Amino acid sequence: MNPSNGKGSIATASSSGAWKVGDVVPDQFPAGLRVLVVDDDPTCLVILEKMLRACLYAVTKCNRAEIALSLLRENKNGFDIVISDVHMPDMDGFKLLEHIGLEMDLPVIMMSADDEKNVVMKGVTHGACDYLIKPVRIEALKNIWQHVVRKRKNEWKELDQSGSLEDGDRQQKPSDEVEYSSSANEGNWKSSKKRKDEEEDIEDRDDTSTLKKPRVVWSVELHQQFVAAVNQLGIDKAVPKKILELMNVPGLTRENVASHLQKYRLYLRRLSGVSQHHSSLNNSFISAQEATFGSMSSLNGLDLQTLAVTGQLPAQSLATLQAAGLGRPTAKSGIPMPLVDQRNLFSFENPKPRFGEGQQQHLSSSKPVNLLHGIPTTMEPKQLANLHQSAQPLGNMNVQVNAHGGHSSSLLMQMGQTQSRGQILNESAGSHVPRLPSSVGHPAISNGIAGGVIGINGIGDNSRGIGYNQVRPTSSMLSFPMNHTSELASNSFPLGSTPGISNITPKGAFQDEINSEIKGSTGFGASYDIFNDLHQQKSQNWELHNVGLQFSASQNANRLQGNLDISPSVLVRQGYSSSQTSGQNRNVSDIGRAVFSGVESTQQGNTQIIGQQLNNFLVDNSVRVKAESIPDAGSQSILFPENNFGQEDLMSALLKQQQGGIAPAESEFDLDGYSIDNIPV
Amino acid sequence: MDKNHLQHQLDMKRSLLDQGYLDEQFIQLEELEDDDNPNFVEEMVTTFYANSARLLQNIEQALGSRPIDFTKLDNYMHQFKGSSSSIGATRVQKECTLFMEYCEAANAEGCIRTFRQVKQEHASLKTKLEDYFKLARQGGPSAGGQAGR
């Protein structure tokens, strides 16, 4: 469907985020508010469209949830609000709600003829900003703009606090995706808090034009600096103020650092808690892949599946990844291994830039990359670059997950974190990406990621498109066995051969994955998409890497189970796309961010938040990495466009990785999509 | 436009409203009509009937299968109800609600019985609306829209 902008053309401009920090609402507002309405009933759909038009909104109607999601993904900043029916044949309205929340962070209004309290309550718990009973009257629709304003205001508020609002309008742009994704993810899950964080990251944002709120992009370098500062102070004593001082980055505010730190901490916590969760996670996601959205663990499994499904990931890879990610051969038992390793990865990989983080910045520029919080990100860009290059296969794999190039890296990165990340990132330009902090842990991570990625790739086949559902439950692969640290260093990291996952070429494909991953339950499917995209994109291993990373990351994030949760992947994806578009740097960060956001958002359950964090980080990191490497993403388009690119690369990377011994064991990762490896430590 | 005609149309509508065949939703739809979409309501009603026929068939089939899947029935009916509510078909909606209650109670007999009523109301409303629109069309180009206001 084509966005009906008839009436809203004016408003489009205004609604597209021209809002500045100051939250000035355009005069014509709410006219031109871009609404996406989803309902399988044709009568209702047309009537709603008519009513919304009568309210002077720019309406796009859609009768399938899947289509709606792809529309949203392709057009990250194309809509202001979504109205969806609860009962739909192809996808449950609540699931769609979750996806949107994670990936795009848009306000969603649910509607149904069912006015039973428990259903309405479900809407609330899933994050709907309103619930309308059918038949919907025009009066009810006239005021929906309030939800948009409210959300924006909250975001702005956060930005304001950080004082770095700088470009309120920056967002407009290409980075829209990034921001969007990141914010989307963020907003939803943890409660807009996370969103804040991301928004505060303005740092490497190339163009925040599309984004409505200025976001600090936690590029790899920035993240590295952050991690260095944190390490210097000691994680326990690291307070934003001191970190800020140590970092000494102009334009960065205490709030930016604070939110990033928060994420980082979660990430670290997740890493350490991952092992415990792993087992449970694994199981959960393996079996529960489709599990509820919130169950991140399932995501991991799913991610892999999706990856695999997409065809990118060869069945065996998938299996391997799964096993790897899950940490267990049967992908059932939790992946204690991976978790543990992950932790190691993170911890020692400090130097390795947290891929996720660095990337996140790029990717999600808007969202603080904090993914890597815990990860000793000292990602070194160079490392990333190296990784990227060498780890091509890995990168690809990962990237795929990341969907946009950036993602995969992040995933991988996350896994391996630091090392690979840098590598992965490096690929493209080293500009952003280098984040892969992976230096050390990379090897292992890569593997994990690779494994995960592979799985993801599988899913991501380019052709796939956003097929979320493709994810096979078995794919727990995503869980990238983060443990692979050792492996990463050398080979496993598909990303670019360098231990880091620099290859994350999350090109657009990745983004898709991420998005899907983020979704959470369907996340798996989502990640799948990301992978696809990534593959398609091309690219270089990076993509694979990213993908893997992302995937697991995101999955994990989503799953919350403790695994990385898909969120990361989601984030990655998001970041990814953005990064891709803006060019390398951006991509990476975007993806990372996306992943991160995804992770965050998926966190809904929050318990898994930690895992998510990781994922996020990973995702972001991976994504970031990719972004750099995948120049092709070049398109500024937002996340998605690149998918094609990443996917293929990712897949190959993944595959290679697998062969290369990356050992898809990513199972350790278990990151739902987020491949812990990516953890941009 | 023929004043009598318009009046006749208004009366008919009033009667439909009073008898509970239609409700406020229908009025709202008419208010949405404008020069760009002068026959919006009629188009909507046509769409509704085309779509609802399919839904009813699904329900019919589900009712015919053994054992009866009440969850499925409930879902179908839910869709149907939502659709009916969008054009303001009040009576139809009421029957739908009743049907869904029987579904919840897994009362097959109640479902079958109520379903017959649903179909009946559905068909009877269709006839009345057809008459109404015919009248509206006869009244002049914007008779339909105007009658609503």
Side-chain angles (χ1 to χ4, degrees), chain A residues 74-101:
Chain A
E74 282 160 25
N75 223 344
K76 283 276 158 154
N77 262 358
F79 300 98
D80 297 308
I81 189 166
V82 180
I83 301 181
S84 169
D85 187 29
V86 168
H87 296 267
M88 289 191 287
D90 65 330
M91 187 192 290
D92 182 35
F94 293 117
K95 222 174 210 196
L96 176 65
L97 165 63
E98 283 181 358
H99 277 287
I100 297 177

PDB file of all heavy atoms in Angstrom, chain A residues 74-101:
ATOM      1  N   GLU A  74      10.848  -0.987   6.130  1.00  0.00           N
ATOM      2  CA  GLU A  74      11.449  -0.322   4.988  1.00  0.00           C
ATOM      3  C   GLU A  74      11.418   1.173   5.144  1.00  0.00           C
ATOM      4  O   GLU A  74      12.184   1.900   4.553  1.00  0.00           O
ATOM      5  CB  GLU A  74      10.664  -0.671   3.731  1.00  0.00           C
ATOM      6  CG  GLU A  74      10.997  -2.056   3.225  1.00  0.00           C
ATOM      7  CD  GLU A  74       9.902  -2.558   2.319  1.00  0.00           C
ATOM      8  OE1 GLU A  74       9.203  -1.703   1.745  1.00  0.00           O
ATOM      9  OE2 GLU A  74       9.730  -3.782   2.201  1.00  0.00           O
ATOM     10  N   ASN A  75      10.512   1.581   5.897  1.00  0.00           N
ATOM     11  CA  ASN A  75      10.312   2.996   6.000  1.00  0.00           C
ATOM     12  C   ASN A  75      10.426   3.399   7.440  1.00  0.00           C
ATOM     13  O   ASN A  75       9.436   3.759   8.053  1.00  0.00           O
ATOM     14  CB  ASN A  75       8.878   3.214   5.567  1.00  0.00           C
ATOM     15  CG  ASN A  75       8.814   4.376   4.693  1.00  0.00           C
ATOM     16  OD1 ASN A  75       9.707   5.170   4.631  1.00  0.00           O
ATOM     17  ND2 ASN A  75       7.688   4.469   4.022  1.00  0.00           N
ATOM     18  N   LYS A  76      11.581   3.274   7.925  1.00  0.00           N
ATOM     19  CA  LYS A  76      11.702   3.449   9.349  1.00  0.00           C
ATOM     20  C   LYS A  76      11.061   4.684   9.894  1.00  0.00           C
ATOM     21  O   LYS A  76      10.469   4.703  10.932  1.00  0.00           O
ATOM     22  CB  LYS A  76      13.170   3.459   9.742  1.00  0.00           C
ATOM     23  CG  LYS A  76      13.749   2.096   9.748  1.00  0.00           C
ATOM     24  CD  LYS A  76      13.480   1.414  11.041  1.00  0.00           C
ATOM     25  CE  LYS A  76      13.580  -0.076  10.886  1.00  0.00           C
ATOM     26  NZ  LYS A  76      13.907  -0.762  12.064  1.00  0.00           N
ATOM     27  N   ASN A  77      11.233   5.702   9.225  1.00  0.00           N
ATOM     28  CA  ASN A  77      10.635   6.899   9.778  1.00  0.00           C
ATOM     29  C   ASN A  77       9.416   7.310   9.025  1.00  0.00           C
ATOM     30  O   ASN A  77       9.080   8.473   8.986  1.00  0.00           O
ATOM     31  CB  ASN A  77      11.629   8.038   9.699  1.00  0.00           C
ATOM     32  CG  ASN A  77      12.290   8.180  11.017  1.00  0.00           C
ATOM     33  OD1 ASN A  77      11.968   7.475  11.949  1.00  0.00           O
ATOM     34  ND2 ASN A  77      13.225   9.074  11.097  1.00  0.00           N
ATOM     35  N   GLY A  78       8.837   6.373   8.406  1.00  0.00           N
ATOM     36  CA  GLY A  78       7.712   6.733   7.561  1.00  0.00           C
ATOM     37  C   GLY A  78       6.379   6.852   8.245  1.00  0.00           C
ATOM     38  O   GLY A  78       5.412   7.303   7.657  1.00  0.00           O
ATOM     39  N   PHE A  79       6.309   6.427   9.462  1.00  0.00           N
ATOM     40  CA  PHE A  79       5.023   6.477  10.152  1.00  0.00           C
ATOM     41  C   PHE A  79       5.167   7.030  11.548  1.00  0.00           C
ATOM     42  O   PHE A  79       6.200   6.905  12.180  1.00  0.00           O
ATOM     43  CB  PHE A  79       4.416   5.071  10.228  1.00  0.00           C
ATOM     44  CG  PHE A  79       4.167   4.461   8.892  1.00  0.00           C
ATOM     45  CD1 PHE A  79       5.071   3.572   8.355  1.00  0.00           C
ATOM     46  CD2 PHE A  79       3.042   4.799   8.156  1.00  0.00           C
ATOM     47  CE1 PHE A  79       4.866   3.015   7.101  1.00  0.00           C
ATOM     48  CE2 PHE A  79       2.821   4.243   6.907  1.00  0.00           C
ATOM     49  CZ  PHE A  79       3.744   3.351   6.380  1.00  0.00           C
ATOM     50  N   ASP A  80       4.095   7.592  11.978  1.00  0.00           N
ATOM     51  CA  ASP A  80       4.121   8.152  13.319  1.00  0.00           C
ATOM     52  C   ASP A  80       3.418   7.269  14.319  1.00  0.00           C
ATOM     53  O   ASP A  80       3.725   7.290  15.505  1.00  0.00           O
ATOM     54  CB  ASP A  80       3.431   9.531  13.319  1.00  0.00           C
ATOM     55  CG  ASP A  80       4.158  10.513  12.437  1.00  0.00           C
ATOM     56  OD1 ASP A  80       5.379  10.665  12.621  1.00  0.00           O
ATOM     57  OD2 ASP A  80       3.520  11.134  11.562  1.00  0.00           O
ATOM     58  N   ILE A  81       2.442   6.563  13.827  1.00  0.00           N
ATOM     59  CA  ILE A  81       1.654   5.750  14.752  1.00  0.00           C
ATOM     60  C   ILE A  81       1.026   4.593  13.994  1.00  0.00           C
ATOM     61  O   ILE A  81       0.779   4.687  12.789  1.00  0.00           O
ATOM     62  CB  ILE A  81       0.574   6.635  15.429  1.00  0.00           C
ATOM     63  CG1 ILE A  81      -0.125   5.870  16.564  1.00  0.00           C
ATOM     64  CG2 ILE A  81      -0.444   7.146  14.422  1.00  0.00           C
ATOM     65  CD1 ILE A  81      -0.936   6.759  17.482  1.00  0.00           C
ATOM     66  N   VAL A  82       0.799   3.529  14.699  1.00  0.00           N
ATOM     67  CA  VAL A  82       0.211   2.340  14.084  1.00  0.00           C
ATOM     68  C   VAL A  82      -1.062   1.967  14.822  1.00  0.00           C
ATOM     69  O   VAL A  82      -1.116   2.004  16.047  1.00  0.00           O
ATOM     70  CB  VAL A  82       1.201   1.157  14.157  1.00  0.00           C
ATOM     71  CG1 VAL A  82       0.606  -0.089  13.518  1.00  0.00           C
ATOM     72  CG2 VAL A  82       2.511   1.522  13.496  1.00  0.00           C
ATOM     73  N   ILE A  83      -2.051   1.609  14.049  1.00  0.00           N
ATOM     74  CA  ILE A  83      -3.305   1.144  14.666  1.00  0.00           C
ATOM     75  C   ILE A  83      -3.501  -0.268  14.144  1.00  0.00           C
ATOM     76  O   ILE A  83      -3.499  -0.499  12.935  1.00  0.00           O
ATOM     77  CB  ILE A  83      -4.502   2.011  14.228  1.00  0.00           C
ATOM     78  CG1 ILE A  83      -4.255   3.470  14.622  1.00  0.00           C
ATOM     79  CG2 ILE A  83      -5.779   1.507  14.887  1.00  0.00           C
ATOM     80  CD1 ILE A  83      -5.401   4.392  14.242  1.00  0.00           C
ATOM     81  N   SER A  84      -3.652  -1.173  15.053  1.00  0.00           N
ATOM     82  CA  SER A  84      -3.759  -2.566  14.608  1.00  0.00           C
ATOM     83  C   SER A  84      -4.878  -3.325  15.294  1.00  0.00           C
ATOM     84  O   SER A  84      -5.178  -3.111  16.468  1.00  0.00           O
ATOM     85  CB  SER A  84      -2.427  -3.260  14.870  1.00  0.00           C
ATOM     86  OG  SER A  84      -2.561  -4.647  14.695  1.00  0.00           O
ATOM     87  N   ASP A  85      -5.443  -4.220  14.547  1.00  0.00           N
ATOM     88  CA  ASP A  85      -6.482  -5.067  15.087  1.00  0.00           C
ATOM     89  C   ASP A  85      -5.811  -6.151  15.928  1.00  0.00           C
ATOM     90  O   ASP A  85      -4.663  -6.509  15.683  1.00  0.00           O
ATOM     91  CB  ASP A  85      -7.263  -5.699  13.921  1.00  0.00           C
ATOM     92  CG  ASP A  85      -8.477  -6.464  14.405  1.00  0.00           C
ATOM     93  OD1 ASP A  85      -9.035  -6.095  15.454  1.00  0.00           O
ATOM     94  OD2 ASP A  85      -8.878  -7.432  13.738  1.00  0.00           O
ATOM     95  N   VAL A  86      -6.538  -6.650  16.864  1.00  0.00           N
ATOM     96  CA  VAL A  86      -5.967  -7.676  17.732  1.00  0.00           C
ATOM     97  C   VAL A  86      -6.000  -9.049  17.067  1.00  0.00           C
ATOM     98  O   VAL A  86      -5.021  -9.781  17.061  1.00  0.00           O
ATOM     99  CB  VAL A  86      -6.725  -7.729  19.080  1.00  0.00           C
ATOM    100  CG1 VAL A  86      -6.358  -8.971  19.871  1.00  0.00           C
ATOM    101  CG2 VAL A  86      -6.413  -6.485  19.900  1.00  0.00           C
ATOM    102  N   HIS A  87      -7.129  -9.359  16.490  1.00  0.00           N
ATOM    103  CA  HIS A  87      -7.274 -10.685  15.902  1.00  0.00           C
ATOM    104  C   HIS A  87      -7.019 -10.658  14.410  1.00  0.00           C
ATOM    105  O   HIS A  87      -7.834 -10.148  13.641  1.00  0.00           O
ATOM    106  CB  HIS A  87      -8.697 -11.201  16.143  1.00  0.00           C
ATOM    107  CG  HIS A  87      -8.985 -11.382  17.594  1.00  0.00           C
ATOM    108  ND1 HIS A  87      -8.799 -12.574  18.253  1.00  0.00           N
ATOM    109  CD2 HIS A  87      -9.415 -10.504  18.529  1.00  0.00           C
ATOM    110  CE1 HIS A  87      -9.123 -12.422  19.532  1.00  0.00           C
ATOM    111  NE2 HIS A  87      -9.495 -11.189  19.729  1.00  0.00           N
ATOM    112  N   MET A  88      -5.911 -11.220  14.060  1.00  0.00           N
ATOM    113  CA  MET A  88      -5.609 -11.274  12.628  1.00  0.00           C
ATOM    114  C   MET A  88      -5.150 -12.675  12.289  1.00  0.00           C
ATOM    115  O   MET A  88      -4.511 -13.330  13.113  1.00  0.00           O
ATOM    116  CB  MET A  88      -4.518 -10.251  12.302  1.00  0.00           C
ATOM    117  CG  MET A  88      -5.053  -8.821  12.388  1.00  0.00           C
ATOM    118  SD  MET A  88      -3.891  -7.633  11.722  1.00  0.00           S
ATOM    119  CE  MET A  88      -2.652  -7.614  12.996  1.00  0.00           C
ATOM    120  N   PRO A  89      -5.439 -13.105  11.127  1.00  0.00           N
ATOM    121  CA  PRO A  89      -5.092 -14.491  10.802  1.00  0.00           C
ATOM    122  C   PRO A  89      -3.608 -14.782  10.695  1.00  0.00           C
ATOM    123  O   PRO A  89      -3.158 -15.828  11.137  1.00  0.00           O
ATOM    124  CB  PRO A  89      -5.792 -14.716   9.452  1.00  0.00           C
ATOM    125  CG  PRO A  89      -5.961 -13.361   8.870  1.00  0.00           C
ATOM    126  CD  PRO A  89      -6.150 -12.424  10.027  1.00  0.00           C
ATOM    127  N   ASP A  90      -2.875 -13.889  10.111  1.00  0.00           N
ATOM    128  CA  ASP A  90      -1.462 -14.236   9.915  1.00  0.00           C
ATOM    129  C   ASP A  90      -0.568 -13.971  11.108  1.00  0.00           C
ATOM    130  O   ASP A  90       0.461 -14.585  11.268  1.00  0.00           O
ATOM    131  CB  ASP A  90      -0.911 -13.521   8.674  1.00  0.00           C
ATOM    132  CG  ASP A  90      -0.910 -12.008   8.871  1.00  0.00           C
ATOM    133  OD1 ASP A  90      -1.773 -11.493   9.602  1.00  0.00           O
ATOM    134  OD2 ASP A  90      -0.044 -11.351   8.282  1.00  0.00           O
ATOM    135  N   MET A  91      -0.942 -13.074  11.899  1.00  0.00           N
ATOM    136  CA  MET A  91      -0.096 -12.803  13.063  1.00  0.00           C
ATOM    137  C   MET A  91      -0.958 -12.184  14.150  1.00  0.00           C
ATOM    138  O   MET A  91      -1.785 -11.326  13.886  1.00  0.00           O
ATOM    139  CB  MET A  91       1.032 -11.819  12.697  1.00  0.00           C
ATOM    140  CG  MET A  91       2.030 -11.654  13.827  1.00  0.00           C
ATOM    141  SD  MET A  91       3.165 -10.280  13.599  1.00  0.00           S
ATOM    142  CE  MET A  91       4.186 -10.812  12.271  1.00  0.00           C
ATOM    143  N   ASP A  92      -0.710 -12.586  15.322  1.00  0.00           N
ATOM    144  CA  ASP A  92      -1.469 -12.030  16.428  1.00  0.00           C
ATOM    145  C   ASP A  92      -1.157 -10.538  16.559  1.00  0.00           C
ATOM    146  O   ASP A  92      -0.009 -10.126  16.450  1.00  0.00           O
ATOM    147  CB  ASP A  92      -1.070 -12.780  17.706  1.00  0.00           C
ATOM    148  CG  ASP A  92      -1.844 -12.289  18.899  1.00  0.00           C
ATOM    149  OD1 ASP A  92      -3.040 -11.948  18.714  1.00  0.00           O
ATOM    150  OD2 ASP A  92      -1.296 -12.231  19.999  1.00  0.00           O
ATOM    151  N   GLY A  93      -2.164  -9.783  16.798  1.00  0.00           N
ATOM    152  CA  GLY A  93      -1.958  -8.350  16.918  1.00  0.00           C
ATOM    153  C   GLY A  93      -0.970  -7.972  18.000  1.00  0.00           C
ATOM    154  O   GLY A  93      -0.207  -7.025  17.863  1.00  0.00           O
ATOM    155  N   PHE A  94      -0.935  -8.740  19.027  1.00  0.00           N
ATOM    156  CA  PHE A  94      -0.022  -8.428  20.119  1.00  0.00           C
ATOM    157  C   PHE A  94       1.413  -8.700  19.728  1.00  0.00           C
ATOM    158  O   PHE A  94       2.335  -8.040  20.172  1.00  0.00           O
ATOM    159  CB  PHE A  94      -0.394  -9.211  21.381  1.00  0.00           C
ATOM    160  CG  PHE A  94      -1.715  -8.786  21.950  1.00  0.00           C
ATOM    161  CD1 PHE A  94      -2.779  -9.670  22.017  1.00  0.00           C
ATOM    162  CD2 PHE A  94      -1.910  -7.485  22.377  1.00  0.00           C
ATOM    163  CE1 PHE A  94      -4.008  -9.262  22.522  1.00  0.00           C
ATOM    164  CE2 PHE A  94      -3.135  -7.063  22.890  1.00  0.00           C
ATOM    165  CZ  PHE A  94      -4.184  -7.964  22.964  1.00  0.00           C
ATOM    166  N   LYS A  95       1.542  -9.676  18.916  1.00  0.00           N
ATOM    167  CA  LYS A  95       2.878  -9.993  18.456  1.00  0.00           C
ATOM    168  C   LYS A  95       3.382  -8.852  17.578  1.00  0.00           C
ATOM    169  O   LYS A  95       4.518  -8.414  17.675  1.00  0.00           O
ATOM    170  CB  LYS A  95       2.805 -11.253  17.623  1.00  0.00           C
ATOM    171  CG  LYS A  95       3.905 -12.191  17.885  1.00  0.00           C
ATOM    172  CD  LYS A  95       3.655 -13.459  17.129  1.00  0.00           C
ATOM    173  CE  LYS A  95       4.275 -14.600  17.897  1.00  0.00           C
ATOM    174  NZ  LYS A  95       4.428 -15.783  17.180  1.00  0.00           N
ATOM    175  N   LEU A  96       2.522  -8.427  16.746  1.00  0.00           N
ATOM    176  CA  LEU A  96       2.884  -7.305  15.879  1.00  0.00           C
ATOM    177  C   LEU A  96       3.230  -6.113  16.752  1.00  0.00           C
ATOM    178  O   LEU A  96       4.201  -5.402  16.518  1.00  0.00           O
ATOM    179  CB  LEU A  96       1.699  -6.958  14.965  1.00  0.00           C
ATOM    180  CG  LEU A  96       1.880  -5.735  14.065  1.00  0.00           C
ATOM    181  CD1 LEU A  96       2.978  -5.971  13.052  1.00  0.00           C
ATOM    182  CD2 LEU A  96       0.572  -5.412  13.355  1.00  0.00           C
ATOM    183  N   LEU A  97       2.467  -5.950  17.754  1.00  0.00           N
ATOM    184  CA  LEU A  97       2.696  -4.854  18.671  1.00  0.00           C
ATOM    185  C   LEU A  97       4.092  -4.935  19.269  1.00  0.00           C
ATOM    186  O   LEU A  97       4.813  -3.949  19.338  1.00  0.00           O
ATOM    187  CB  LEU A  97       1.629  -4.912  19.775  1.00  0.00           C
ATOM    188  CG  LEU A  97       1.824  -4.109  21.060  1.00  0.00           C
ATOM    189  CD1 LEU A  97       1.863  -2.633  20.779  1.00  0.00           C
ATOM    190  CD2 LEU A  97       0.666  -4.407  22.009  1.00  0.00           C
ATOM    191  N   GLU A  98       4.428  -6.096  19.657  1.00  0.00           N
ATOM    192  CA  GLU A  98       5.745  -6.261  20.244  1.00  0.00           C
ATOM    193  C   GLU A  98       6.837  -5.947  19.247  1.00  0.00           C
ATOM    194  O   GLU A  98       7.802  -5.269  19.543  1.00  0.00           O
ATOM    195  CB  GLU A  98       5.920  -7.697  20.732  1.00  0.00           C
ATOM    196  CG  GLU A  98       5.196  -7.954  22.026  1.00  0.00           C
ATOM    197  CD  GLU A  98       5.419  -9.385  22.475  1.00  0.00           C
ATOM    198  OE1 GLU A  98       6.087 -10.135  21.745  1.00  0.00           O
ATOM    199  OE2 GLU A  98       4.910  -9.731  23.531  1.00  0.00           O
ATOM    200  N   HIS A  99       6.657  -6.463  18.094  1.00  0.00           N
ATOM    201  CA  HIS A  99       7.660  -6.225  17.059  1.00  0.00           C
ATOM    202  C   HIS A  99       7.840  -4.756  16.810  1.00  0.00           C
ATOM    203  O   HIS A  99       8.949  -4.250  16.727  1.00  0.00           O
ATOM    204  CB  HIS A  99       7.236  -6.887  15.750  1.00  0.00           C
ATOM    205  CG  HIS A  99       7.581  -8.331  15.687  1.00  0.00           C
ATOM    206  ND1 HIS A  99       8.859  -8.781  15.511  1.00  0.00           N
ATOM    207  CD2 HIS A  99       6.815  -9.419  15.758  1.00  0.00           C
ATOM    208  CE1 HIS A  99       8.853 -10.093  15.487  1.00  0.00           C
ATOM    209  NE2 HIS A  99       7.622 -10.516  15.637  1.00  0.00           N
ATOM    210  N   ILE A 100       6.756  -4.120  16.667  1.00  0.00           N
ATOM    211  CA  ILE A 100       6.850  -2.704  16.373  1.00  0.00           C
ATOM    212  C   ILE A 100       7.514  -1.973  17.518  1.00  0.00           C
ATOM    213  O   ILE A 100       8.332  -1.094  17.326  1.00  0.00           O
ATOM    214  CB  ILE A 100       5.451  -2.109  16.098  1.00  0.00           C
ATOM    215  CG1 ILE A 100       4.857  -2.756  14.859  1.00  0.00           C
ATOM    216  CG2 ILE A 100       5.540  -0.605  15.934  1.00  0.00           C
ATOM    217  CD1 ILE A 100       3.454  -2.292  14.560  1.00  0.00           C
ATOM    218  N   GLY A 101       7.136  -2.363  18.677  1.00  0.00           N
ATOM    219  CA  GLY A 101       7.724  -1.696  19.826  1.00  0.00           C
ATOM    220  C   GLY A 101       9.221  -1.882  19.847  1.00  0.00           C
ATOM    221  O   GLY A 101       9.984  -0.951  20.082  1.00  0.00           O
TER     222      GLY A 101
END
